[in-house]
Amino acid sequence: MLALRSMDIIYSAFIKCFGLIIGMDPYLLEVTRLTLVISSLSTLASFVIGVPAGLVIAQSDFAFKRLIVSIVNAGMGLPPVVVGLVVALLFGRSGVFGGLDLLYTRTAVFISQLIIALPMACGLTIAACGEVPRTLKLQLDSFGAGVYQKSFYLAREIKKSLIVIAMASFGSVISEVGAVIMVGGNILNETRVLTTAIVSEVRVGNYDTALGFAFILLALTFAVNYAVAVITPGKKSGA
Amino acid sequence: MNIVEIKDLSFKYPEDKKRAGFELKVPELSLARGSSLALFGASGAGKSTLLAICASLQKGFAGSVKLFGTQLSNDRCGADGEAVSRMAILFQDAPLFNCCVYENISIGLQIRKTPRAEIKRRVDEMIEKLNISGIAYADAREISGGQAKRVCLARLLVLKPELLFLDEPFYSLDAINRSQIMHELKRLSAEAAIALMLVTHDKNEALALCENLAVMDAGAIIRYGDIKSCFNNPKSETEARLLGRNMVFYGQVTVCSDEVAEIECVTENESAPLTFQAAADYKKGDRVCLMISPQDLSVSPYEGGGGKSQASSALNCFEGEIVSAAHYEFGMLLNISTGGGFVFQAYITSRSYESLGLGPEKKVKFFIKATAVKSFLMP
């Protein structure tokens, strides 16, 4: 009986989902647009900061390199809820950055997503550089390449990995809910994204609408993964 | 003028590295402009480490290392810009960048900010010289090992280096490619008067490319000198074994006349001594070490009779039994036992092996010229 009810909900969700998409539902479009904008910007920012940092760390030999790499790697497994809590504390009224009045804004959502994606971009770049043959790096040294030149050629060596890193970062932030709901507050037309929209629809018992959002989220995640598979056929070492 | 000068160099790998505890010590070593030096020794002797230090790729050393008169810094790798710009290094594994062959060859010039027109001129010229125009625009990851090595070599030679470091560059190549590339390298380096520092444990590579030899063992240079003299006259057992003289015996001089010494050798079980004739000037009673190469044995089937063959000028003639025969690159390697614990090795061609009807358990006679028995006085 329960199984039949679940199937009804899923069937109804499909119908509703297609209805919403075909009908260009403003609520759905706004939530999806906001999700894509904030997640893309946070992915882009994490990529722009994390990849060069990873390239420099990977090729440098400094005193606390192992400690830094361990911190970055630990950051990749950072619980999003903890990130949300820290950002909420920092940007809350009594927080260090309370004066900026950013809590429950898109900027706060962007910052929390950036903190989640940044270690991933940096850590995966370091790992990808580790796959580049040591002698290739030594060859660059022997040509007299400086830090920036070496970073450029290393980035070129791991270009396929960089695409995967961008996609992985995007995948992690678009599916994030704990931190986003904590610092964004799930405000309609302001900070409501696909994941938090699902939560709010379930709360009010709109399972079909929630599943509709879930299908869109899954479709986006699948599209990202499929793009990775298409872009990186027969991935070779160091790339 | 010396382009590499080492004085009181010592280097220890840090405790957290794989080779922690290994120590390299080189009191003095130099390489003159346009000359060539082979760093020869077994794996783990410190050859590649010494080469990396000279090429400014390994830091953390103590002592003085000068490259083109510039004291190498102990800062980051490749920090010694001016000196580094005059050298190039060819690695064992032919690492290529993830782009086309043409781009690979031009990378060093791009890094050194060479004008675009000059890059094109030099790359085109080198592609022509190394006969790789057919793969110029191929994906560098798709070409064969021999082609990859040529591309690596081209990438270095376009830089017009005055010094080329070669770290076991022919290791992964088949015999044909090895020989071809070795000769191309020899020709091109001679044309441009490029000095070579080669790391190898292959005698033929060292002899083909270098005029000087530094034999390394356990982080130290145990012999340095003219390559032919080093290979022909090892001065210690370690050196002899490293240089391919697999048979080392110890004995005492019993007679010495006309610059030929008669030396009686026994093995550890001291059951049956063998007497060798060696072209050397010793006194009776001197204790000496004898070294023989497998190439210096001439083998014939045993047909009865004993003692020295009248048909041969070789002063040493022994009888023995083949205990094993194995194929090697150019023929067969025989292990011959004469009893008393003496085992000799002999390289012969497969044709001789078959035509003489040799094989395991066959009795043979073998000859060694007195001049092929190298020796030195024991301390």
Side-chain angles (χ1 to χ4, degrees), chain B residues 147-164:
Chain B
Q147 289 170 331
K149 195 65 82 177
R150 278 190 178 83
V151 173
C152 285
L153 191 57
R155 187 169 64 191
L156 303 182
L157 293 175
V158 288
L159 300 172
K160 298 195 170 169
E162 292 168 58
L163 168 61
L164 198 51

Side-chain angles (χ1 to χ4, degrees), chain A residues 135 149 153 156-157 236, chain B residues 93 98 110-111 141-142:
Chain A
T135 45
Q149 283 176 315
Y153 286 102
R156 218 171 63 165
E157 279 308 291
K236 290 168 192 160
Chain B
D93 59 351
N98 195 7
Q110 288 173 24
I111 288 173
R141 304 279 171 105
E142 304 291 336

Side-chain angles (χ1 to χ4, degrees), chain B residues 120-313:
Chain B
K120 187 174 169 6
R121 191 187 65 74
R122 285 206 213 173
V123 173
D124 286 344
E125 184 185 277
M126 197 48 67
I127 282 175
E128 201 63 41
K129 273 188 179 173
L130 278 161
N131 201 21
I132 47 174
S133 49
I135 53 160
Y137 294 98
D139 183 342
R141 304 279 171 105
E142 304 291 336
I143 60 178
S144 72
Q147 289 170 331
K149 195 65 82 177
R150 278 190 178 83
V151 173
C152 285
L153 191 57
R155 187 169 64 191
L156 303 182
L157 293 175
V158 288
L159 300 172
K160 298 195 170 169
E162 292 168 58
L163 168 61
L164 198 51
F165 291 104
L166 307 160
D167 190 358
E168 299 194 44
F170 314 109
Y171 180 74
S172 53
L173 294 177
D174 58 74
I176 296 168
N177 269 308
R178 181 183 303 179
S179 166
Q180 282 176 353
I181 295 174
M182 204 150 61
H183 285 100
E184 277 163 12
L185 176 60
K186 175 91 178 160
R187 175 176 60 84
L188 294 169
S189 61
E191 268 176 26
I194 302 170
L196 301 178
M197 188 183 275
L198 167 74
V199 163
T200 184
H201 43 68
D202 185 298
K203 183 179 172 178
N204 297 325
E205 283 175 19
L207 282 166
L209 290 171
C210 299
E211 58 210 29
N212 291 310
L213 185 76
V215 183
M216 294 191 71
D217 184 47
I221 293 176
I222 57 169
R223 177 84 184 270
Y224 175 83
D226 172 74
I227 195 160
K228 283 184 184 140
S229 151
C230 288
F231 273 113
N232 288 334
N233 298 296
K235 301 268 190 229
S236 70
E237 183 181 345
T238 312
E239 204 184 308
R241 289 196 189 279
L242 286 171
L243 297 176
R245 292 187 179 269
N246 317 30
M247 293 163 279
V248 178
F249 306 112
Y250 298 93
Q252 194 161 27
V253 178
T254 52
V255 182
C256 190
S257 63
D258 300 330
E259 294 179 340
V260 175
E262 197 170 291
I263 300 152
E264 192 175 275
C265 294
V266 285
T267 55
E268 280 172 359
N269 62 25
E270 298 185 353
S271 56
L274 269 189
T275 302
F276 291 87
Q277 315 283 331
D281 200 9
Y282 295 118
K283 292 195 296 290
K284 187 181 173 185
D286 281 347
R287 286 199 56 77
V288 294
C289 177
L290 303 182
M291 297 157 294
I292 302 163
S293 288
Q295 291 92 331
D296 291 327
L297 268 71
S298 166
V299 182
S300 66
Y302 180 77
E303 288 160 355
K308 182 189 164 323
S309 166
Q310 293 305 307
S312 169
S313 67

Side-chain angles (χ1 to χ4, degrees), chain B residues 72-111:
Chain B
L72 291 187
S73 75
N74 238 333
D75 192 5
R76 69 173 184 84
C77 290
D80 312 285
E82 152 62 13
V84 165
S85 69
R86 297 167 71 181
M87 65 91 186
I89 180 164
L90 182 59
F91 294 101
Q92 189 184 90
D93 59 351
L96 290 173
F97 293 93
N98 195 7
C99 50
C100 76
V101 165
Y102 193 96
E103 181 79 3
N104 257 283
I105 298 172
S106 66
I107 278 178
L109 292 168
Q110 288 173 24
I111 288 173

